[in-house]
Amino acid sequence: ALQYSSAAVDPLAHVFLHGCIRRSAGLLLAPGKTLQYSGLCRLQSLFTRLQLVSDCLGKSCALWRSGVQPCCCMSMQGCGFSLQNRCHGFILDPNHPNTLGPRKRPYHTIMPGMITDTEDNLTVAFGCMGGYMQPQGHIQLVLNMLDLEMDPQAALDAPRFCVDKLDSAVGPRSVLSSQVLLEGGFHPDVQEGLAEKGHKISVVGGFSRSVFGKGQIIMRDVKSGVLCAGSDPRGAE
């Protein structure tokens, strides 16, 4: 059976999600199985969390936990973990390429990262939390480390950009309202050059920099076995 974790919220949302989950569960549960739930989870539990661990033998683990909306806190009885709600990334328009359907996977941002060398030795475990910034943050961290040869902390400290307001649940038209966020630290020529190409630019600083995600990195030198780590200054996660 499927069961919600605890909490109390808006009764209208409770009724709405009750119907959504029962319809969805009909696609997931085997014949004869039942659906049980008890209220909705608290929104504070929905944020992404990343734990990185590496040892002296070169073994690493990048463990993620994330949700999207209150449904994501539905948990499997006796298993001790919650289910996410990544079907939020689908569109219900039957004529849209991203419409909900069988044998399809939604766009999502749960992407623990690993980097190996040419001999398949694991050298880096990393990740960047932060909604739709996550895939953008991942590639920026990789480029900083591999192309610019930054150490983990320098790669995390470097200013980032973010294409904001993109939403797979809205579709391609969300691009029309998107903008490029630049973190303070980029040279003014970068902002001017992007604006000349037609991009909507906004410079972000202070505590609002959390929009650029929060990352962690552990790097291992294969020859010496020395571990080097970095933690993002934009947040405590």
Side-chain angles (χ1 to χ4, degrees):
L2 299 178
Q3 183 173 1
Y4 261 136
S5 58
S6 63
V9 290
D10 186 347
L12 291 179
H14 179 92
V15 172
F16 172 75
L17 289 172
H18 169 79
C20 290
I21 292 169
R22 282 200 170 274
R23 287 192 292 272
S24 300
L27 304 176
L28 300 174
L29 299 178
K33 296 293 183 179
T34 60
L35 176 68
Q36 300 176 350
Y37 67 96
S38 55
L40 306 179
C41 69
R42 297 186 183 277
L43 293 177
Q44 288 90 333
S45 66
L46 301 184
F47 299 111
T48 303
R49 291 294 181 267
L50 164 65
Q51 292 83 40
L52 294 180
V53 178
S54 295
D55 64 17
C56 61
L57 300 177
K59 298 179 181 179
S60 296
C61 174
L63 179 64
W64 289 66
R65 187 275 177 197
S66 183
V68 180
Q69 294 177 337
C71 307
C72 74
C73 288
M74 188 166 56
S75 61
M76 298 295 293
Q77 286 182 313
C79 295
F81 60 86
S82 61
L83 301 179
Q84 38 80 0
N85 183 31
R86 294 293 164 176
C87 280
H88 164 77
F90 281 127
I91 294 175
L92 298 182
D93 179 357
N95 298 316
H96 195 281
N98 193 37
T99 187
L100 177 65
R103 301 185 181 278
K104 297 180 68 174
R105 295 182 180 181
Y107 171 76
H108 67 80
T109 57
I110 306 306
M111 45 187 306
M114 299 282 186
I115 299 176
T116 59
D117 62 17
T118 55
E119 297 180 356
D120 290 332
N121 296 305
L122 181 60
T123 58
V124 180
F126 72 101
C128 181
M129 302 164 282
Y132 288 108
M133 175 61 196
Q134 292 177 51
Q136 301 180 64
H138 268 61
I139 191 62
Q140 292 175 60
L141 292 179
V142 171
L143 293 176
N144 287 345
M145 289 186 287
L146 298 187
D147 289 355
L148 302 180
E149 300 183 347
M150 295 182 181
D151 61 56
Q153 192 59 59
L156 289 164
D157 291 345
R160 298 178 193 153
F161 66 87
C162 173
V163 181
D164 192 33
K165 296 184 179 180
L166 296 179
D167 191 344
S168 61
V170 176
R173 65 180 180 274
S174 67
V175 175
L176 299 176
S177 61
S178 68
Q179 60 179 333
V180 178
L181 305 181
L182 293 180
E183 189 171 15
F186 279 101
H187 194 280
D189 290 347
V190 175
Q191 179 180 352
E192 294 174 3
L194 290 171
E196 290 176 356
K197 294 180 180 295
H199 294 288
K200 302 174 185 177
I201 305 298
S202 179
V203 178
V204 180
F207 290 109
S208 298
R209 293 190 307 148
S210 60
V211 71
F212 298 106
K214 298 173 283 291
Q216 312 289 341
I217 300 175
I218 300 177
M219 180 182 292
R220 179 177 183 271
D221 183 272
V222 176
K223 293 182 179 179
S224 66
V226 173
L227 297 174
C228 176
S231 185
D232 205 304
R234 299 168 184 84
E237 290 84 357

